[in-house]
Amino acid sequence: MDNKDTTHSHLLSFLNAIPPVDFCCVYGSTLHSTDPGKSTMVDYILGVSDPLQWHSENLKMNADHYASWMVLLGGAKLITNVADKLGVGVHFNPYVTWNNKMLKYGVVRMHDLIQDILNWESFYLSGRLQKPVNMLVDNLDIETINSVNLRAAVSAALLLLPPKFTEEDLYAKICSLSYMGDVRMLFAEDRNKVKKIVQGQFDLFQSMYKPFLEDYEGKDFLRFSSSKNQLANISQV
């Protein structure tokens, strides 16, 4: 078994410790780690049909994953209500230790996930899914539904870019869409975060967006020319 298969199996194994999910993806540095045992935070997004029922079951299995005050004051009902009414429909359990790894996972209602992908209702998970992720479970074919989100991201980025730009500029603009208006980028977050994400996962961005760029080129919306560093120079027609 090669490193990729080993990493995939390692990431999947966490799902045996929680109730069943309809969707699961991981994101962040895990995507380009060659060592599944490396001590980096693993980030999961979990899609479920009924968060109230799911959290009720997970509290029986993993109560220590949750903030103790939420468990004591209201349990699954409070956890779900806080996510729905005060947040963007996602409840995160951070700093979970499992199998000698540190991870965090966010739980979202499948209906809310799909609506955000299609309509950018909160632009929280849709923004995340505009960047490379590793889908481990996809019972409702979110990967296909997400093509609407990716095409919209390309269109939005093109409106914000000058007539001529590089392929890296395009992916950086797409990546930056979800950070626009995020005050963390002004203070706490790394100002070079977007550049690091794109450069670290450039091949993954290419594979994600190649079909849409080829479509735009075929319709004469974009023109491509190669450069010395083998990155495409792009012109809007």
Side-chain angles (χ1 to χ4, degrees):
M1 183 178 292
D2 60 24
N3 282 338
K4 185 176 180 179
D5 290 336
T6 300
T7 300
H8 186 79
S9 297
H10 180 80
L11 296 171
L12 269 174
S13 62
F14 170 64
L15 301 183
N16 296 324
I18 58 176
V21 299
D22 291 314
F23 174 79
C24 172
C25 72
V26 296
Y27 60 93
S29 59
T30 304
L31 293 179
H32 49 87
S33 174
T34 57
D35 181 3
K38 189 178 179 181
S39 57
T40 56
M41 175 78 80
V42 182
D43 301 283
Y44 289 82
I45 295 294
L46 308 176
V48 302
S49 59
D50 184 346
L52 179 61
Q53 179 181 351
W54 193 91
H55 287 300
S56 297
E57 295 176 11
N58 197 39
L59 281 167
K60 296 175 184 176
M61 302 169 65
N62 302 296
D64 59 323
H65 290 184
Y66 296 83
S68 57
W69 67 270
M70 299 191 85
V71 177
L72 294 172
L73 293 180
K77 186 174 182 179
L78 176 63
I79 291 164
T80 305
N81 284 341
V82 168
D84 288 342
K85 296 178 181 179
L86 299 180
V88 291
V90 186
H91 171 80
F92 271 97
N93 282 334
Y95 307 114
V96 172
T97 302
W98 179 82
N99 199 20
N100 297 318
K101 292 283 291 184
M102 184 70 73
L103 58 88
K104 70 177 180 184
Y105 60 91
V107 181
V108 63
R109 185 180 290 103
M110 287 300 298
H111 175 268
D112 295 343
L113 173 62
I114 292 170
Q115 289 303 305
D116 196 35
I117 288 172
L118 294 178
N119 303 315
W120 289 4
E121 291 195 351
S122 71
F123 204 58
Y124 185 71
L125 294 178
S126 54
R128 164 38 57 197
L129 291 174
Q130 290 167 1
K131 307 176 189 70
V133 299
N134 183 352
M135 293 189 185
L136 303 175
V137 178
D138 191 12
N139 295 341
L140 298 185
D141 201 12
I142 294 298
E143 185 172 14
T144 297
I145 296 171
N146 195 48
S147 63
V148 175
N149 181 32
L150 299 184
R151 183 177 292 275
V154 173
S155 298
L158 291 176
L159 290 172
L160 297 170
L161 284 164
K164 295 184 178 181
F165 51 89
T166 67
E167 191 176 3
E168 184 175 313
D169 291 335
L170 174 63
Y171 301 144
K173 185 60 68 177
I174 291 172
C175 187
S176 70
L177 292 175
S178 60
Y179 295 120
M180 290 181 176
D182 190 338
V183 295
R184 294 176 303 170
M185 296 302 288
L186 297 177
F187 303 103
E189 293 280 1
D190 183 351
R191 296 288 187 89
N192 294 316
K193 182 173 184 176
V194 167
K195 185 176 182 179
K196 290 179 179 178
I197 290 173
V198 172
Q199 291 181 345
Q201 303 180 37
F202 189 83
D203 57 333
L204 298 177
F205 274 98
Q206 277 189 317
S207 63
M208 283 179 72
Y209 288 101
K210 182 178 180 180
F212 308 104
L213 297 181
E214 289 180 341
D215 181 48
Y216 281 14
E217 183 182 24
K219 294 176 179 177
D220 288 329
F221 295 156
L222 298 176
R223 289 177 182 167
F224 292 79
S225 60
S226 59
S227 62
K228 293 180 180 179
N229 57 6
Q230 296 183 331
L231 299 179
N233 289 318
I234 306 174
S235 300
Q236 302 196 55
V237 181

